[in-house]
Amino acid sequence: MSPPVEFGRFFLPGPTEVRPEVLEAQVRPMIGHRGPETEALLARLAAPLSALFRTSRPVFVSASSATGLMEMAIRNGVRRKALCLVNGAFSQRFADIAAACGVDHHVARVEPGQTFEADQVRQLLGQTGADAVTVVHSESATGALAPLAEIAAAVRERDDVLLLVDGVTSVAGSPVETDAWGLDFILTGSQKATALPPGLAFATASERMLERARTLPGRGIYFDLVVYDEQARRHQTPYTPAVSLLYALDCQLSRIAADGGIEARWARHDAMRRTVEAWVAAKGGALGIQFLPREGRRSWTVSCLKLMREGQTGGAVAKAAAQLGWTIAPGYGTLKDSTIRIGHMGDHTVAGLEALLGVLEGVLARA
Ligand SMILES: *Cc1c(COP(=O)(O)O)cnc(C)c1O
């Protein structure tokens, strides 16, 4: 095995770096998943998980990646037709899942880096007659942050429409107010802002969503929301839970509470986003970089920067950083060559991010 690299040099927009003590928490003996020990573990996780999502409702844990719960959202949340708000590769995935599940849907698009605004959503709901809206809060492919509270308010004006949210790079990294904003379904994955190893996904659903789900015939088996909800209320899971990952989750939720809770975590991510903004404002001209999304619509967890110089590519910049021992991501999909992405989420710090930006300065100046 290669020697462990010092923490704080791995800035992908998922998976994110995991603290050694969280990794080590997994190395414990197995317990029977129908026994009192697992039930006690899941019971202990319930309140801190709800705190992460700012909800009084149960949050359930799935042994899958986040995409599994995107499929749950579609299968359990759409009766007639979904309106899919697409502004990047992950929001496109909701539309692809709807197509694959045979669910009627309308795809609305804005340019990568932009977001849908509440008035557009009002208009689209009027035009399409959709009874569910899919949206990605923080579009990790473009670094754009949707005005989710305002979109939710627009959706709430109609009482037959559900709002289904991918919060994969927002939950635990920037403000998400599930109950106060009235989100019907919101999901995330363990390997993003919660800074756990990949393999778990978390979600919570409103009572309205559950009522609708009970009437839908196409819920399938593994992602049947009705069953997950019943089991979560009894601190159980429908199928075998990923026990080792639950140990890591238990450890990480305790760490988050000890570090000042969710609001302190949001504040640290806000400071990291501002650090990148200040750096681009000061040096972007000389280094040939610009933010893709406009001010006010920038993710707190993923900064997507356009490369303005002829001949520079995202892949080449990421490779040059890797040769110095630092990991960032090139662009995603159609933005692969024209952008780079810095994932500053999870347990990263402003000081660590500043060190990375110092390295990138050297890389960009040479390139
Ligand atoms: C990473 C990511 C996903 C996909 O997550 P998986 O865990 O790979 O299924 C979905 N949406 C967003 C916004 C993401 O960043």
Side-chain angles (χ1 to χ4, degrees):
M1 257 173 74
S2 50
V5 178
E6 184 191 341
F7 183 92
R9 291 179 165 219
F10 188 81
F11 289 86
L12 287 187
T16 48
E17 206 157 352
V18 182
R19 288 273 172 198
E21 62 265 41
V22 177
L23 284 174
E24 282 157 17
Q26 295 177 92
V27 189
R28 278 158 53 188
M30 287 302 113
I31 48 179
H33 63 271
R34 295 283 169 235
E37 284 168 298
T38 301
E39 215 171 286
L41 174 58
L42 287 167
R44 186 160 73 240
L45 299 175
L49 274 174
S50 291
L52 219 57
F53 281 78
R54 304 280 262 201
T55 182
S56 59
R57 301 184 57 80
V59 171
F60 53 82
V61 181
S62 155
S64 71
S65 87
T67 304
L69 296 188
M70 293 175 80
E71 181 163 336
M72 176 185 274
I74 296 287
R75 286 184 175 274
N76 293 266
V78 188
R79 193 196 309 277
R80 286 189 315 272
K81 188 191 219 175
L83 166 61
C84 300
L85 305 178
V86 175
N87 64 338
F90 291 105
S91 38
Q92 175 66 44
R93 187 171 294 181
F94 263 137
D96 295 344
I97 292 169
C101 293
V103 169
D104 192 15
H105 61 290
H106 174 91
V107 179
R109 288 180 206 282
V110 292
E111 288 299 308
Q114 297 187 356
T115 57
F116 285 85
E117 302 300 315
D119 276 339
Q120 281 171 289
V121 175
R122 277 189 191 94
Q123 221 175 27
L124 284 162
L125 280 173
Q127 288 162 3
T128 59
D131 62 10
V133 177
T134 67
V135 63
V136 173
H137 188 189
S138 162
E139 177 44 273
S140 320
T142 68
L145 187 70
L148 187 59
E150 288 141 54
I151 290 174
V155 172
R156 286 282 73 79
E157 288 163 12
R158 295 170 180 263
D159 37 69
D160 61 332
V161 183
L162 300 183
L163 182 58
L164 313 175
V165 184
D166 169 335
V168 176
T169 52
S170 66
V171 172
S174 64
V176 169
E177 297 283 1
T178 300
D179 288 358
W181 296 348
L183 311 178
D184 291 294
F185 188 84
I186 177 160
L187 70 102
T188 189
S190 55
Q191 81 278 24
K192 303 286 172 99
T194 46
L196 289 159
L200 294 180
F202 316 111
T204 184
S206 69
E207 191 52 47
R208 292 155 21 104
M209 169 102 171
L210 270 161
E211 272 167 29
R212 179 178 291 181
R214 286 185 198 107
T215 68
L216 298 179
R219 306 198 298 272
I221 291 284
Y222 197 64
F223 294 116
D224 183 341
L225 172 64
V226 177
V227 176
Y228 267 91
D229 183 72
E230 275 166 13
Q231 296 283 317
R233 286 170 197 282
R234 288 189 277 149
H235 304 304
Q236 293 190 356
T237 57
Y239 309 105
T240 310
V243 173
S244 313
L245 289 167
L246 293 182
Y247 295 149
L249 173 62
D250 191 20
C251 171
Q252 181 66 328
L253 290 172
S254 304
R255 287 186 70 253
I256 291 172
D259 281 350
I262 191 66
E263 289 178 14
R265 199 170 179 82
W266 293 344
R268 179 164 47 77
H269 285 80
D270 189 21
M272 289 194 283
R273 186 226 350 147
R274 286 172 192 280
T275 298
V276 182
E277 286 186 328
W279 181 67
V280 171
K283 311 215 165 138
L287 296 172
I289 46 169
Q290 280 178 11
F291 263 95
L292 180 65
R294 72 168 168 88
E295 198 178 350
R297 292 289 179 270
R298 293 175 188 154
S299 169
W300 294 20
T301 60
V302 184
S303 289
C304 182
L305 307 177
K306 276 193 288 186
L307 300 170
M308 309 304 290
R309 283 222 201 102
E310 200 66 36
Q312 231 176 23
T313 66
V317 173
K319 196 170 163 196
Q323 278 161 354
L324 299 170
W326 296 75
T327 303
I328 62 162
Y332 195 98
T334 55
L335 300 168
K336 188 167 181 15
D337 287 339
S338 60
T339 63
I340 53 171
R341 292 174 307 144
I342 304 170
H344 38 78
M345 68 181 105
D347 289 337
H348 278 300
T349 61
V350 168
L353 180 59
E354 282 170 344
L356 170 73
L357 297 180
V359 170
L360 285 181
E361 253 169 62
V363 166
L364 290 164
R366 273 198 306 279

